[in-house]
Amino acid sequence: RIIVQTVNLTAYDKEFLHLSGAIQPHGILFALKEPQLEIIQVSNNTFELLGFHPQALLNQSLKDLLTPTELLFIEGCLVKDFESVNPIKLSIDMSNNIKNFDGILHRCNGVLILELEPKLTQEDRNFIRFYHLVKGAIAKLQNAPTMSGMCQDITQEVQNLTGFDRVMIYQFDGKQAGKVIAEEKREDLNSYLGLHYPASDIPDQAKKLYTRNRLRLIPDINSQPKELVPAQNPITNEPLDLSYAVLRSVSPCHLEYLRNMGVTASMSISLNKDKKLWGLIACHHYSPKYVSYEVRTACEFLGQVMSLELAAKEENENLDYKIKLKSIQAQFIEAMPLTENFMDGLVKDKDNLLQLVAAQGVAICANGDLSIAGETPSKSDIYNLIEWVEAKIDNDIFYTDCLPRLYPTAEKFKDVASGLIVLSISQTQKNYVLWFRPEVIQTVNWGGDPYSSVELSPRKSFELWQETVRSQSLPWKQCEIDAIIELRSAIVGIVLRKADELARINI
Ligand code: BLA
């Protein structure tokens, strides 16, 4: 039995991720005032990476740090679209030791932000190889015949490009919980494929941010964040908005979550559909891992290509399911005229009836007589349910994926009937078909790993989430509802034809 603890999730939701006032320490951040490029805020790690104390840099011009050619180049960039110029190659002379950096520029609320990431390897010479990898990957994504094929392809391609130990596609459902639908991983690791995670694992605020800012990298969860000095931005008199900063420090709650999962480095790329976050490409590494800006950009680009392909592939996927539903329908329609009474036709083929909407139980009520198959409430419970539902049927159909919330009596049989569809074939003759789906909590696999440590907050969120999905079934798909409505029209057609034949015989 699960003990429910109250967790004030809104406290986290209100956590302003973009105003953390700190960055991850693998790079340096400068907030600059244009046009003089005066350094008005800087991260507190310039001594380690540049050899200058932050105080020595504040109020100086960035111009004093750069060679004239670099300066000219940056000034040229300031009038361009930053996405087309990033990363800018910069070399800084630290007492005759030249250090190379990737410079990443963006503006936010009128403040120019320059982030520097030390260049670890000389990747330029790999550019051609890289270009071919990306080009090949795009062709593969576009040609993938199915959604699951495309998801599998992209996990492989991202793993090829980055070398992460695990790359997953994490898809949100209608209630913002999520499921791992594709995975590429080091062979010795346990698989997360098929596991579900609660909506609260990625708070709304983070999701909103990820819709706009499409990639984040956490190279080492154990590194110490570095504050910006001064804490307030002198132009806005507020903490600097880090929504688009690639170095933004990570929420401590999420770091704890990754620690519980045994992960040391993480990267995630947004997958958007219709301007909403559809899912993430989530990558894990079990030791620290830095990924260069170029490689990240390539991954982000693949994410965008996949985002564009999502709508078409989802439509295809539904098409396959719809074709399957059509063939089940056709079987009924063929078999039905052979039976004396059309309801007998339904009773005879209960397996197909279950498959028609992927239900686990079905009840057919013909002239008040009940016939059941699969997992259903007891007959007397069904009779009572029918009495309750009759007034709710609208246009011959009623459906819900949270019956116990609408009809508290269902609480006692929610294991089998948290989801319900009722199709009325004739309300006057009490001819109904009822389909049942069990409570989702019993039908999906939970990703338990992050919750192994009972005292930690991610565990509490999991429990909270179990409350939110309690008494709920998997949702009914629109194409399933449509299939049922079409089935009804077919039945009505057959009944009318029979009546017509009878009338002719009587003449
Ligand atoms: C962020 N949570 C995230 C991110 C992912 C997940 C992918 C994006 C950041 C990243 O790239 O690492 C969740 N990661 C998962 C899941 C899987 C995975 C579900 O690999 C499954 C395989 N998280 C909690 C609780 C809180 C919480 C209780 O479980 C606090 C309320 C917070 N998660 C949280 C926050 C962020 C986050 C605040 C934003 C981190 C940031 O961008 O700073």
Side-chain angles (χ1 to χ4, degrees):
R1 173 97 197 118
I2 298 142
I3 303 148
V4 183
Q5 303 175 17
T6 10
V7 182
N8 188 0
L9 258 189
T10 53
Y12 295 108
D13 278 338
K14 283 191 189 132
E15 189 185 4
F16 295 110
L17 297 173
H18 62 296
L19 301 180
S20 67
I23 60 160
Q24 301 184 70
H26 58 282
I28 306 167
L29 184 143
F30 293 103
L32 303 167
K33 189 172 170 187
E34 295 175 88
Q36 285 309 313
L37 303 186
E38 181 189 337
I39 301 171
I40 50 174
Q41 271 182 301
V42 65
S43 58
N44 197 2
N45 59 343
T46 47
F47 188 71
E48 295 90 310
L49 291 173
L50 282 183
F52 300 102
H53 285 289
Q55 293 306 338
L57 292 168
L58 277 176
N59 306 321
Q60 303 297 314
S61 171
L62 182 74
K63 299 177 181 176
D64 301 333
L65 275 182
L66 304 174
T67 63
T69 339
E70 282 174 338
L71 185 60
L72 210 64
F73 184 70
I74 287 205
E75 281 175 339
C77 290
L78 294 181
V79 294
K80 290 195 187 136
D81 168 16
F82 289 146
E83 270 194 42
S84 67
V85 296
N86 285 332
I88 297 161
K89 310 281 165 207
L90 296 174
S91 313
I92 292 176
D93 188 351
M94 281 176 67
S95 19
N96 290 332
N97 176 11
I98 304 282
K99 268 197 149 183
N100 295 313
F101 291 90
D102 273 342
I104 301 138
L105 274 171
H106 77 280
R107 277 193 197 89
C108 196
N109 298 338
V111 182
L112 179 66
I113 296 176
L114 172 66
E115 294 167 277
L116 299 184
E117 292 184 11
K119 255 204 126 22
L120 301 182
T121 48
Q122 202 54 48
E123 268 167 347
D124 290 356
R125 60 197 148 92
N126 288 332
F127 179 77
I128 296 292
R129 188 184 73 93
F130 202 60
Y131 168 73
H132 282 291
L133 267 179
V134 173
K135 205 174 138 194
I138 290 171
K140 228 172 162 183
L141 292 188
Q142 286 176 328
N143 293 330
T146 61
M147 176 80 134
S148 51
M150 176 169 72
C151 290
Q152 197 50 50
D153 286 346
I154 199 163
T155 54
Q156 272 169 14
E157 296 301 333
V158 170
Q159 199 193 32
N160 264 345
L161 282 166
T162 60
F164 271 100
D165 287 335
R166 187 196 300 275
V167 180
M168 297 167 280
I169 302 293
Y170 184 74
Q171 185 189 2
F172 298 110
D173 66 20
K175 300 199 170 62
Q176 297 301 309
K179 180 181 177 187
V180 178
I181 59 165
E183 178 185 51
E184 193 65 34
K185 62 173 187 65
R186 227 173 59 197
E187 247 168 44
D188 58 305
L189 298 173
N190 286 341
S191 173
Y192 288 171
L193 192 62
L195 293 186
H196 291 243
Y197 294 83
S200 51
D201 282 17
I202 313 179
D204 282 353
Q205 215 235 110
K207 285 199 194 104
K208 274 196 204 112
L209 191 57
Y210 299 170
T211 320
R212 293 181 281 140
N213 178 350
R214 294 181 299 249
L215 185 144
R216 53 247 125 233
L217 171 69
I218 309 169
D220 184 357
I221 63 157
N222 295 312
S223 64
Q224 286 302 311
K226 299 290 175 189
E227 276 95 44
L228 301 184
V229 277
Q232 301 280 94
N233 183 277
I235 297 183
T236 59
N237 283 323
E238 278 171 11
L240 188 64
D241 183 341
L242 296 174
S243 293
Y244 295 95
V246 294
L247 294 170
R248 177 177 60 79
S249 68
V250 184
S251 148
C253 182
H254 183 51
L255 291 175
E256 181 184 49
Y257 181 92
L258 291 172
R259 200 165 289 125
N260 288 346
M261 261 188 160
V263 170
T264 308
S266 160
M267 183 172 92
S268 62
I269 303 155
S270 312
L271 297 170
N272 291 332
K273 192 184 151 207
D274 302 329
K275 300 207 169 110
K276 286 204 202 87
L277 196 63
W278 175 94
L280 295 171
I281 306 173
C283 312
H284 291 170
H285 211 63
Y286 294 88
S287 52
K289 181 167 183 62
Y290 173 75
V291 181
S292 73
Y293 186 83
E294 269 109 347
V295 175
R296 270 145 52 204
T297 306
C299 292
E300 186 185 331
F301 184 56
L302 289 187
Q304 277 176 277
V305 172
M306 173 153 167
S307 294
L308 289 173
E309 289 290 314
L310 277 173
K313 292 280 182 339
E314 253 182 0
E315 190 51 35
N316 267 355
E317 203 97 320
N318 268 340
L319 216 62
D320 289 348
Y321 188 53
K322 282 181 193 159
I323 289 170
K324 187 181 146 208
L325 294 186
K326 278 266 182 271
S327 92
I328 299 175
Q329 260 176 11
Q331 288 174 38
F332 275 120
I333 293 163
E334 233 166 76
M336 231 177 289
L338 306 174
T339 55
E340 198 46 36
N341 181 319
F342 67 91
M343 289 307 271
D344 294 344
L346 295 178
V347 172
K348 267 196 187 148
D349 211 352
K350 294 197 200 89
D351 279 350
N352 257 339
L353 262 189
L354 287 173
Q355 276 195 41
L356 186 63
V357 289
Q360 304 216 352
V362 64
I364 298 150
C365 177
N367 301 314
D369 280 342
L370 257 189
S371 164
I372 55 179
E375 309 270 308
T376 68
S378 73
K379 286 194 174 176
S380 68
D381 284 333
I382 298 178
Y383 279 123
N384 290 334
L385 177 62
I386 291 177
E387 238 169 68
W388 171 81
V389 86
E390 276 178 321
K392 308 227 159 2
I393 295 174
D394 181 22
N395 274 329
D396 308 312
I397 198 158
F398 169 86
Y399 61 96
T400 173
D401 57 11
C402 52
L403 181 62
R405 285 192 211 159
L406 309 176
Y407 176 62
T409 321
E411 191 61 32
K412 64 174 179 186
F413 50 77
K414 63 181 183 181
D415 309 11
V416 294
S418 285
L420 169 73
I421 306 184
V422 180
L423 176 70
S424 156
I425 293 169
S426 152
Q427 223 158 337
T428 48
Q429 294 180 37
K430 286 198 176 292
N431 286 336
Y432 300 111
V433 186
L434 293 82
W435 286 267
F436 303 103
R437 267 185 190 171
E439 191 178 29
V440 74
I441 217 149
Q442 338 228 343
T443 55
V444 301
N445 300 313
W446 307 120
D449 282 0
Y451 316 107
S452 54
S453 168
V454 183
E455 295 308 315
L456 297 175
S457 44
R459 161 98 191 169
K460 290 187 202 150
S461 91
F462 178 60
E463 287 164 353
L464 185 82
W465 178 66
Q466 286 191 315
E467 274 314 291
T468 69
V469 293
R470 208 164 283 276
S471 309
Q472 205 143 20
S473 73
L474 290 176
W476 303 102
K477 289 193 176 142
Q478 188 57 45
C479 59
E480 292 165 339
I481 302 293
D482 292 346
I484 287 180
I485 291 172
E486 282 169 27
L487 178 69
R488 185 180 188 281
S489 323
I491 294 173
V492 170
I494 291 166
V495 173
L496 288 179
R497 205 161 53 235
K498 278 208 169 156
D500 202 36
E501 277 164 20
L502 271 180
R504 247 182 279 156
I505 292 166
N506 286 343
I507 291 167

